[in-house]
Amino acid sequence: MDEKKWAQETAEKIKRKMRLVAERNRHKIPYTTENGVFDDWSGDRICWWTNGFWGGIMWQLYHATKDELYREIALENEEKLDVNLMTAEGMNHDSGFRWLPTAVADYRVTGNKASFNRGLLAANDLAGRFNPAGQFIRAWNDSGDGSKAGWAIIDCMMNLPLLYWAYEETCDPRYLHIATLHADTAAKYFIREDGSANHIVAFDPVTGAFSDTFGGQGYAKGSSWTRGQAWALYGFILSYLHTRNETYLNTAKKVANYFIANTPENGLIPVDFRQPADCTLEDSTASAIAACGLLEIARALEEKGELGATESRIYHSAALKLLTALSEKRCNWDDGCDHLLEKCTAAFHDKTHEFAIIYGDYYFIEAVWKLTGEELFIW
Ligand code: GLY
């Protein structure tokens, strides 16, 4: 396969379709589609963790095309998120997912001062969730009974770049300390010997002692929820890129090696690598996120001389296998349908599975842009 040609053609198909999709959904913040039409989470669901990805898609398209339509839609998405910053119970560890693809992206592209403020307020809130006892960032809220005060989740690795950004902008090392202390805790308690990852780890929030692990959105305790594996894979390589700490690169490689070894022959990723053998449920989001992380590992290794470059090819071709499988078998290229990726799954035990999810589309576009050189670095 001519990889460059494939990437260019895929990017062109995305641009053609997304111009129409953006135009007809310009005032929404979509999560999924109903009969191929995006829904809208702008109203009373505005604090949902995925509400930054539509803006992120717009920034990636703007960066690649300079079409003002995309910048305008991204700004509308960013401004709508301000309600989050005034809603304590709506704030959680997912600040990175919400403000890196919106306000921080805007600030990086335009230097907008209001966007800088949003990013910094969100980073301060995220830093405030750090528990010095167990050295972890608390994931979710509870009803005020403290039942989730000791819960940390692997997804948070993807939110740490908001703290790295705040550190890089302000030179205040507290952001860096909190991000790296959490990453060290995650490497120790979430990543298992074989490179698979726990979804949820509970600590005693008073003493910081390890307490338990939970299956979370995966099949069961001790199983291997594939999106969680993907968050770990991409999250650790991002921590390496921001700190140049080799331990994070090695952790990312360990998780990636496990992911590659468990990738089915057809390149399509199940919801959990340890789901029952007769279960065929898939999650295309895990595939797109992992592809992004694999491409970053490959890029990092390329900088490490001849041996690194040789090793790099393993991760690069693993990413290509995932992306070509998605493009050929799981992309909806119909211009009349709003979503790109099909067969995305939020959680194994949910009632519904295999539908469109906005962050699947976001990471698929980001991965293709990594190959064409059109990516805006969001994380
Ligand atoms: N961060 C939540 C999820 O991946 O579903």
Side-chain angles (χ1 to χ4, degrees), residues 94 128 184 194 259 261 275 369:
D94 285 323
D184 295 344
D194 64 358
F259 198 100
Q275 66 196 27
W369 269 214

Side-chain angles (χ1 to χ4, degrees), residues 89-118:
E89 71 271 22
M91 296 296 286
N92 52 44
H93 78 119
D94 285 323
S95 290
F97 285 126
R98 282 181 275 180
W99 282 280
L100 284 167
T102 53
V104 175
D106 189 345
Y107 173 68
R108 281 176 167 146
V109 175
T110 69
N112 183 356
K113 181 78 179 138
S115 304
F116 176 85
N117 284 338
R118 291 181 177 111

Side-chain angles (χ1 to χ4, degrees), residues 92-96 122-140 148-164 174-186 190 199-201 203:
N92 52 44
H93 78 119
D94 285 323
S95 290
N124 288 341
D125 192 89
L126 182 59
R129 301 184 73 83
F130 183 71
N131 184 328
Q135 305 203 321
F136 64 88
I137 292 172
R138 174 182 176 162
W140 297 314
K148 291 186 183 151
W151 285 22
I153 69 173
I154 192 63
D155 323 28
C156 192
M157 287 304 300
M158 289 297 295
N159 291 315
L160 301 186
L162 183 62
L163 300 175
Y164 293 129
R174 290 176 305 158
Y175 299 109
L176 180 67
H177 291 321
I178 290 172
T180 54
L181 286 169
H182 179 90
D184 295 344
T185 301
F190 283 80
H199 182 199
I200 301 173
V201 174
F203 300 91

